[in-house]
Amino acid sequence: MLTLYHAPGTRSGGALWLLEELGVEYDLQFVDIFAEGGAPEDYRAIQPHKKVPAIVHDGVAVTERAAIFAYLCDAFPQAGLAPAIGDPRRGPYLSWLVYNDAVFDPVLGAKFVGWTYDKRGVSFGTFDDMVRKIETTLSATPYLTGDIFTAADLNLAGGLNFAVRMQKAMPETPAIAGFLDRTTGREGFKRAMAKGRPAS
Amino acid sequence: MLTLFHAQGSRSTRFIWLLEELGAPYEIRHVSIARRNGEGGPDPANPHPFKQVPALKDGATLITQSSAIALYLTDAYPLAKMGPVVGDALRGPYLTWLATYAGVLEPVIGSKFREGGPDASEQKAFDMLDEAWRGALAAGPYLLGEAVSAADILFVSLLQFGRQTMGPQKVYDEYLARMSARPALARALQKDAA
């Protein structure tokens, strides 16, 4: 039994997209994180910060996107969305999964609220370095770890789509535009977009 | 062959520790990094795109980001039992702690050292992390229960770096003492300096 806890228009959209790509059966639970006082208090047992996404698989809760993505792709390897343990692409794949949470997201957050900081004092470095790393990687190969789409691409594409195309907070270079077209053009993305809003 | 790119007394020290726990064959390449106090600087010998540490090379493959390196290594050396394998009921909690380290602990602790300190939402995130961490240790004694894992090495490194970063609770003192007593850490610290 697999359940995704999701709120429309939030970071949990990526996990929903991943589940669609994996092609597995799951139960979609909407969590109203924008309600007065946040999500219902009993949700804290699943996600201590009452944030989304969270999954519960066979009774075990998994939170944090890098963890959810790595967990699901290894649990359902037949979808081929993660290089297996021992595959030379496994290392870069894990690096990018974590990079999304540990660098890309905090760097963008800092930019949105206008923080200034000494890059030697934080773990995540500068906005310009982040842009350069993504641009350099996607100029060399169509996907982050080479020629094959993985869950690391999906994880980054969700945030990148938000930052580049919705917020216009990052330059839409040809390499980045091509990557966003390739990833958000997938049928799984469209299905996730359709399912991600509660029926009105 | 694994090569760890390392700078003394930095975020890479704990990977010497993990490699020692794993009993993996590895070599250390000492590199300089830009330190907070202005000392050091980027080292051309470091393959990390931003000349940070840790960086790990496994043959031609480069792995960066501490949580990614930890997961990569414990999966590569499953017999050392430093991380639950795919299919283990503790795999999900293990991945959650590793990703919480990267996605919550590091950025939130960074905000504590920022001028002006953490904002309200960061303080709230810190408080919840503190509560979850202490709760796990009280039930533990390790994050995943009875067995130590690479997630403990990441989390305890914050206490080793600055015990005062977290509150005065005894559960943290005991955790720090328990982790610090591990022979693999003693071996690692002998190799920390160039």
Side-chain angles (χ1 to χ4, degrees):
Chain A
M1 178 66 183
L2 177 60
T3 304
L4 170 67
Y5 294 85
H6 165 71
T10 71
R11 290 175 175 85
S12 60
L16 177 61
W17 178 11
L18 177 64
L19 285 166
E20 286 298 319
E21 296 278 353
L22 288 170
V24 295
E25 275 189 42
Y26 63 95
D27 175 37
L28 182 60
Q29 290 286 332
F30 289 95
V31 181
D32 187 2
I33 61 166
F34 300 111
E36 183 103 3
E41 207 45 39
D42 58 4
Y43 178 60
R44 205 182 287 284
I46 293 163
Q47 217 292 356
H49 301 234
K50 295 204 297 180
K51 292 167 73 165
V52 289
I55 62 165
V56 175
H57 185 220
D58 294 339
V60 177
V62 185
T63 63
E64 297 299 317
R65 284 173 298 164
I68 291 170
F69 276 56
Y71 179 89
L72 287 173
C73 293
D74 286 346
F76 302 104
Q78 62 277 13
L81 286 175
I85 295 165
D87 185 312
R89 291 179 302 123
R90 179 80 178 181
Y93 159 75
L94 293 177
S95 298
W96 276 108
L97 271 189
V98 174
Y99 183 89
N100 188 66
D101 290 8
V103 180
F104 179 75
D105 204 285
V107 162
L108 266 185
K111 184 175 176 70
F112 285 145
V113 298
W115 290 331
T116 53
Y117 53 86
D118 181 344
K119 74 169 180 177
R120 289 169 305 183
V122 296
S123 53
F124 45 80
T126 69
F127 180 81
D128 290 344
D129 280 350
M130 180 272 284
V131 172
R132 191 175 332 127
K133 179 179 161 91
I134 291 173
E135 170 65 18
T136 304
T137 303
L138 294 177
S139 297
T141 53
Y143 296 106
L144 294 172
T145 61
D147 294 329
I148 301 169
F149 176 79
T150 72
D153 296 297
L154 191 163
N155 196 19
L156 182 70
L160 204 55
N161 190 47
F162 175 77
V164 173
R165 291 195 167 159
M166 293 164 75
Q167 298 293 321
K168 315 267 185 223
M170 267 178 75
E172 183 163 350
T173 64
I176 287 174
F179 176 73
L180 287 176
D181 289 344
R182 275 189 293 283
T183 49
T184 62
R186 295 173 68 90
E187 291 303 317
F189 181 80
K190 293 171 195 163
R191 286 198 301 276
M193 292 296 281
K195 284 191 184 176
R197 304 210 166 267
S200 51
Chain B
M1 181 67 165
L2 296 167
T3 305
L4 177 69
F5 292 83
H6 164 69
Q8 183 181 358
S10 76
R11 285 183 176 87
S12 57
T13 301
R14 57 205 183 181
F15 288 96
I16 307 178
W17 181 7
L18 178 58
L19 286 160
E20 288 291 330
E21 296 276 5
L22 294 172
Y26 70 98
E27 60 178 12
I28 298 173
R29 288 281 298 276
H30 292 268
V31 294
S32 70
I33 51 167
R35 305 269 180 176
R36 274 180 78 104
N37 63 7
E39 287 175 10
D43 193 328
N46 184 354
H48 191 290
F50 304 116
K51 308 302 176 194
Q52 295 174 311
V53 290
L56 181 75
K57 283 199 89 167
D58 185 357
T61 301
L62 174 67
I63 306 118
T64 58
Q65 299 296 329
S66 289
S67 296
I69 294 172
L71 180 58
Y72 182 85
L73 286 174
T74 62
D75 280 347
Y77 292 91
L79 297 179
K81 296 192 186 304
M82 286 300 290
V85 297
V86 176
D88 188 307
L90 288 174
R91 179 76 172 183
Y94 175 54
L95 296 178
T96 297
W97 283 112
L98 285 182
T100 298
Y101 177 83
V104 181
L105 186 146
E106 279 273 10
V108 161
I109 295 300
S111 76
K112 292 239 164 203
F113 291 96
R114 198 178 58 227
E115 201 174 332
D119 65 22
S121 80
E122 288 163 333
Q123 185 60 45
K124 204 169 140 198
F126 176 86
D127 291 343
M128 277 189 246
L129 178 70
D130 179 33
E131 192 183 320
W133 189 2
R134 281 190 283 119
L137 294 182
Y142 299 104
L143 289 172
L144 298 178
E146 288 175 7
V148 70
S149 74
D152 292 299
I153 290 182
L154 290 187
F155 271 77
V156 84
S157 68
L158 176 67
L159 302 177
Q160 292 171 323
F161 165 73
R163 170 64 189 87
Q164 75 288 353
T165 317
M166 304 308 291
Q169 293 85 1
K170 213 170 89 183
V171 72
Y172 285 132
D173 293 325
E174 290 168 352
Y175 183 56
L176 178 58
R178 192 179 308 118
M179 291 298 292
S180 299
R182 295 183 70 82
L185 174 60
R187 292 198 299 276
L189 291 177
Q190 285 180 350
K191 299 180 180 180
D192 186 49

